Amino acid sequence: MSTNVLDQAEAAPGRTTTGGTPPLPRQPGAATFPPRTPQDAFDALHSASAPGLIRQAYLLTGCRRLAFESVEYAFRRAWQHWPEVAVAADPVGWVRSRAHEYALSPWHRVRRASGGRRPLPAGLFGAVLHLPPRHRRAALLCDGLGMSVALAAAETESSTCAVAGRLDFARDAIDRHLGMADEPGTGRRMLRSFLADGSTATMASARALRLSGEWRARRLARTVYVGVAAFCALVAYVMCCGS
């Protein structure tokens, strides 16, 4: 029986797997999606990457609702831009970038603040959430996912020097928050363990996200059409009245 990944993470935020440091997750872009129908390829991408992306968004925000919302938003965007995503060198990275940006949007921080602040959890989650958003993302990409500083800089549209500085700060702050300042690397191992966990999460199906994205696109197209038609009618009316 599968366990909801966010319930499991909340219950044991500082848990590491037995046997020491777990192996790194598969490098971004390592998964391949063979050329089938667009729907099948999208569904394969969703099945392979959605649970891990939810864990990442949850770690970045500490909010389960926003974690699911961010990943669902990113997959809807992916389907709307599928011709671009399908030929991208790293389709998982394309979706991940949108999910992280949505999760860390200043607007969502305002939304959470307006709902009242909750005390930060202890352990790894508290350590990560104490960091500024850009530092959280640097730690997640480099220490959690094993990306190089150069790749993380490219994904976050930052300089390598900026990402390296954020990463050094984040590593030190996480270890100090965990009370492991005399054991450097503890936070890195915990991040890697959390993100490498094989648990699954329950979210909207790939088909539901595809249909939702198509419905939103049609609604936007209708809205634009009605707006243009109304504008043209207004211009025609003004011209008739002025003649």
Side-chain angles (χ1 to χ4, degrees):
M1 180 181 297
S2 63
T3 304
N4 186 302
V5 62
L6 302 189
D7 288 333
Q8 187 181 68
E10 234 176 29
R15 179 178 56 83
T16 58
T17 56
T18 58
T21 304
L24 278 173
R26 178 174 293 183
Q27 290 293 333
T32 58
F33 303 96
R36 295 168 288 180
T37 67
Q39 292 81 3
D40 285 345
F42 176 84
D43 293 357
L45 174 64
H46 177 274
S47 176
S49 60
L53 290 173
I54 291 173
R55 295 179 74 81
Q56 294 170 34
Y58 186 47
L59 187 64
L60 287 174
T61 64
C63 175
R64 67 175 61 229
R65 178 189 55 77
L66 182 54
F68 281 92
E69 184 180 316
S70 300
V71 176
E72 290 172 1
Y73 164 83
F75 274 105
R76 282 197 299 269
R77 293 281 293 171
W79 181 241
Q80 291 166 3
H81 297 269
W82 188 248
E84 173 190 348
V85 179
V87 298
D90 181 8
V92 176
W94 196 101
V95 180
R96 179 179 62 235
S97 178
R98 272 70 182 176
H100 289 186
E101 289 168 3
Y102 186 92
L104 294 176
S105 165
W107 165 242
H108 296 306
R109 295 200 294 273
V110 171
R111 284 172 58 192
R112 293 199 300 277
S114 65
R117 284 191 170 275
R118 296 186 304 170
L120 293 178
L124 178 63
F125 274 85
V128 173
L129 293 175
H130 266 102
L131 297 171
R134 291 183 179 179
H135 294 65
R136 286 179 221 166
R137 195 173 178 189
L140 187 153
L141 292 175
C142 295
D143 288 344
L145 300 181
M147 293 175 63
S148 68
V149 170
L151 285 175
E155 180 159 321
T156 59
E157 299 182 345
S158 304
S159 69
T160 53
C161 289
V163 172
R166 292 169 194 160
L167 183 59
D168 287 341
F169 178 90
R171 286 172 172 172
D172 181 62
I174 290 174
D175 285 341
R176 282 190 286 104
H177 187 89
L178 294 172
M180 299 291 185
D182 56 340
E183 298 181 31
T186 300
R188 273 175 273 177
R189 290 190 292 273
M190 293 176 68
L191 271 172
R192 194 175 299 175
S193 175
F194 174 77
L195 295 175
D197 190 282
S199 302
T200 59
T202 304
M203 67 174 293
S205 67
R207 181 175 183 275
L209 292 175
R210 283 193 279 105
L211 294 177
S212 172
E214 292 168 359
W215 177 80
R216 288 167 184 254
R218 287 195 297 270
R219 185 178 64 173
L220 178 60
R222 284 197 300 267
T223 301
V224 171
Y225 176 80
V226 170
V228 170
F231 178 76
C232 291
L234 178 61
V235 170
Y237 174 78
V238 171
M239 292 179 65
C240 288
C241 291
S243 60

